[in-house]
Amino acid sequence: MRIILITGISGSGKSVALRVLEDAGYFCVDNLPPVLLRELVAARQHEGAQMLAVATDARSADSLAGLPSDIQQLRAEGHDVKVFFLTAQTESLIARFSETRRSHPLSHRLRPGQNPSDRLTLTECIQIEREMLVEIESIGHTIDTSDMSANRLRSWIKELVDTEPAPLTLLFESFAFKRGVPLDADLVFDVRMLPNPHYDVKLRPLTGRDQPVIAFLEGLPKVSDLLGDIRNFVEKWLPEFKDDNRSYLTVAIGCTGGQHRSVYMVEQLAEYFQVSERVVRRHRELAKHAGDR
């Protein structure tokens, strides 16, 4: 079976992701206690099902500890198991809870010795939830939804699941340092030392996917040198990441605005590696400018 486990921080988009999977034909179960996961898989397999998606979170904290070993066992049985861990910056989560006016799942939780009338603040709930899920985060592919619209999250989930099973998927992502490093980055490379096309008024409105910008950057030896260094580094260590049983490796390339240099680098790296690897490319800032369509 193809099994996708959706977990992560409350308010980060787990429900949106689960609905995408349901639309894609997955049998979906929300808020499943992890202790029941293997029983559910066995039941669905007995019925001949091929695809299963399950969402779980900190509300099932008591049985989360056994989840990593259950996933390992399911993989040993031949199932294609992928884990997506959705998260976001605390400020973004607070804004979402304020917009929806919903309470945090842990808002009724009490600290030892706490008066029942003294509820945890939203910030405290988020921090406690992060601590409860830290072990689970390490076994999944992290998706940072901080500045991501629901439409964009739907697109990324579709892109990640609409593929044949593969040992590892390489994700190349461009971003702007001024907006923060993506939380889902495994490797981060800084290309801000390269000449910036932004200072050429003709190139400023373009992106690293446009031919004039490509020609500008390809004419600079230091650009090709840095591109080669990044490519060689990823190529050298990629087998080690595969041996570590990872499903995804996110390589984030950052520049000042996330429009020219980092976009160019991501496009070039994706073009090179897609010959032999399963590759997905993302341009965080370009998606924002395009209205997350």
Side-chain angles (χ1 to χ4, degrees):
M1 292 177 63
R2 297 191 70 180
I3 303 169
I4 295 180
L5 178 65
I6 301 291
T7 185
I9 307 302
S10 300
S12 59
K14 296 191 298 297
S15 296
V16 172
L18 200 64
R19 285 194 292 270
V20 171
L21 296 172
E22 187 172 31
D23 291 342
Y26 282 78
F27 180 86
C28 297
V29 179
D30 194 7
N31 195 25
L32 180 78
V35 70
L36 300 178
L37 177 60
R38 293 184 62 187
E39 292 182 26
L40 175 62
V41 170
R44 294 299 296 162
Q45 188 175 23
H46 180 72
E47 296 171 0
Q50 297 295 317
M51 300 188 298
L52 173 67
V54 173
T56 188
D57 55 33
R59 287 172 290 184
S60 302
D62 293 339
S63 57
L64 282 174
L67 190 57
S69 61
D70 287 337
I71 292 172
Q72 186 177 12
Q73 182 61 39
L74 289 171
R75 286 171 174 164
E77 294 171 1
H79 298 291
D80 175 30
V81 184
K82 290 182 171 59
V83 182
F84 295 149
F85 187 94
L86 275 60
T87 186
Q89 300 286 354
T90 298
E91 294 78 7
S92 297
L93 295 172
I94 291 174
R96 292 172 188 175
F97 276 105
S98 297
E99 290 172 2
T100 61
R101 297 185 179 180
R102 297 189 63 185
S103 61
H104 192 280
L106 300 183
S107 61
H108 300 290
R109 183 186 181 94
L110 298 177
R111 291 187 295 262
Q114 183 181 2
N115 189 311
S117 63
D118 296 330
R119 297 298 180 185
L120 294 171
T121 67
L122 178 55
T123 301
E124 288 173 329
C125 289
I126 293 171
Q127 181 57 38
I128 291 173
E129 188 175 31
R130 291 193 194 281
E131 295 169 359
M132 295 170 65
L133 296 176
V134 65
E135 296 297 328
I136 306 303
E137 182 176 10
S138 64
I139 65 172
H141 168 61
T142 302
I143 301 176
D144 177 10
T145 69
S146 298
D147 298 312
M148 194 184 301
S149 71
N151 283 339
R152 189 59 182 168
L153 176 57
R154 292 187 191 100
S155 297
W156 283 16
I157 293 294
K158 288 178 182 178
E159 193 172 21
L160 290 173
V161 301
D162 287 347
T163 62
E164 291 301 316
L168 182 143
T169 298
L170 259 176
L171 293 101
F172 291 102
E173 179 175 6
S174 66
F175 71 95
F177 270 100
K178 65 183 181 181
R179 300 183 187 276
V181 176
L183 295 177
D184 50 9
D186 297 303
L187 300 174
V188 179
F189 294 95
D190 185 350
V191 300
R192 287 177 293 183
M193 80 292 289
L194 300 177
N196 193 348
H198 173 81
Y199 295 109
D200 185 323
V201 294
K202 295 182 180 179
L203 301 180
R204 184 174 301 169
L206 305 178
T207 76
R209 295 185 293 192
D210 294 315
Q211 190 55 45
V213 175
I214 294 173
F216 171 83
L217 293 172
E218 286 183 343
L220 301 170
K222 62 178 66 177
V223 174
S224 60
D225 288 346
L226 182 57
L227 177 61
D229 288 342
I230 296 174
R231 183 181 63 229
N232 292 339
F233 182 90
V234 174
E235 200 163 35
K236 176 180 178 180
W237 291 103
L238 187 57
E240 301 298 328
F241 285 108
K242 289 181 178 179
D243 290 343
D244 195 38
N245 294 318
R246 290 179 178 238
S247 298
Y248 297 90
L249 177 67
T250 300
V251 180
I253 312 292
C255 63
T256 305
Q259 180 179 340
H260 299 105
R261 295 163 292 181
S262 60
V263 171
Y264 168 81
M265 287 290 191
V266 162
E267 290 293 326
Q268 297 303 310
L269 290 166
E271 191 73 22
Y272 177 83
F273 281 98
Q274 70 182 9
V275 175
S276 57
E277 307 291 340
R278 163 61 189 163
V279 170
V280 174
R281 66 191 79 186
R282 300 174 179 168
H283 298 296
R284 191 179 74 178
E285 317 310 337
L286 298 191
K288 294 176 185 175
H289 297 322
D292 286 308
R293 293 191 296 269

